[in-house]
Each structure stands twice: as C-alpha cells, then as structure tokens.
C-alpha cells in the first residue's frame, strides 16, 4: 500500500518515512507518559519537561518535502518535456511535499492536544477567546437610492 508512493516519491521518501515512524513512536510515548502521570497522581518518571511533541517533527519534514519538490522539478527539466519524464518529475515533486506537510500537520495538531491535556484543559480551552471579541450580527445595508 505504501510502497508505490515510496518508489514514485524518490529517495527523499525514505527520510520522510523515518520521520513518520519516529513521530508515531514519540506520540505513543507522550500519550503513555500522560496516562502514567494521570494515574500516578502527577508523579511520573518521564525525562522531558515539555509535554508535547518536539518541534523537529513540524519543522524538518516539510523542508524535506520541499527539497523533493525541487529535485522533482530538476528531473522535469533535465529529462526534457516528454510526457514520461514530466510525469515522473511531477510525481516526485507532489508526493514528497504532501507527505512532508502531512507529517507536520499531524505533529503540530498532536502537540497542541498534548500540551492542552497536560495543562488539564480540553483542546478548546488551550487558546480561549478574548472577552473583548464578541460576535456581532451582520451589518445592514441602507436601502438603494432612488433617482
């Protein structure tokens, strides 16, 4: 299931795969540490002071994906504008970008949730609305002028 994407995306798909595996392990560890802390009354043996995911996971994979985009574009121009070379190049460009951004999106969302859970709040209450901002009704338009 994943193999066609790995082959179409080129050599930079392997570091992206490693990032996604490491992110999965980090998410499992953070969830386990949070559950242990909850059950243990706040005492846990976790070494990390920050409850979320390391920023590496939302900073580096998109950069790897963009590097794949550049490599794919180089392949397009180096191979001429024939349909086969063009298709391979666009495949590398798009697939690496999508995978890199997808990893970053999952990492950033999980970080937001984990930090919120660690603070004892739901994800909605991590960034509360400002009391000064109140929803207003839609403005009414004046009636059209008659001539």
């Amino acid at each position: 299931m994943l193999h066609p994407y790995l082959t179409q995306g080129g050599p930079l798909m392997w570091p992206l795969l490693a990032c996604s595996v490491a992110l999965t392990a980090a998410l499992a560890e953070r969830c386990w540490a949070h559950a242990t802390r909850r059950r243990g009354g706040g005492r846990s043996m976790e070494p990390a002071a920050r409850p979320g995911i390391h920023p590496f996971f939302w900073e580096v994979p998109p950069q790897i994906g963009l590097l794949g985009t550049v490599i794919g574009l180089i392949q397009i121009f180096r191979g001429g504008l024939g349909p086969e070379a063009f298709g391979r190049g666009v495949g590398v460009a798009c697939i690496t970008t999508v995978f890199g951004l997808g990893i970053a999106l999952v990492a950033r969302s999980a970080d937001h949730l984990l930090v919120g859970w660690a603070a004892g709040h739901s994800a909605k209450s991590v960034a509360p609305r400002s009391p000064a901002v109140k929803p207003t009704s839609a403005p009414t338009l004046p009636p059209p002028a008659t001539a």
Side-chain angles (χ1 to χ4, degrees):
M1 179 172 114
L2 192 59
H3 190 272
Y5 294 112
L6 290 173
T7 56
Q8 288 175 351
L12 289 177
M13 288 299 289
W14 294 104
L16 288 172
L17 179 64
C19 286
S20 65
V21 169
L23 174 61
T24 302
L27 283 173
E29 188 276 331
R30 293 283 86 204
C31 289
W32 179 82
H34 177 69
T36 303
R37 185 174 49 246
R38 286 275 217 212
R39 278 190 240 124
R43 297 178 310 272
S44 71
M45 298 179 61
E46 66 180 273
R50 187 171 190 279
I53 300 296
H54 195 277
F56 168 87
F57 291 108
W58 64 78
E59 292 173 353
V60 174
Q63 295 173 8
I64 294 172
L66 290 175
L67 181 59
T69 299
V70 172
I71 290 172
L73 292 174
I74 289 170
Q75 287 178 357
I76 289 172
F77 295 122
R78 188 180 285 169
L81 294 178
E84 188 175 317
F86 185 81
R88 265 188 272 118
V90 169
V92 170
C94 293
I95 290 173
T96 56
T97 304
V98 167
F99 271 72
L101 291 174
I103 293 167
L105 180 64
V106 169
R108 194 64 172 139
S109 300
D111 179 71
H112 179 73
L113 290 173
L114 288 169
V115 169
W117 287 339
H121 303 289
S122 70
K124 286 184 178 180
S125 66
V126 171
R129 281 179 130 178
S130 170
V133 177
K134 295 179 184 172
T136 59
S137 61
T140 57
L141 298 174
T146 57

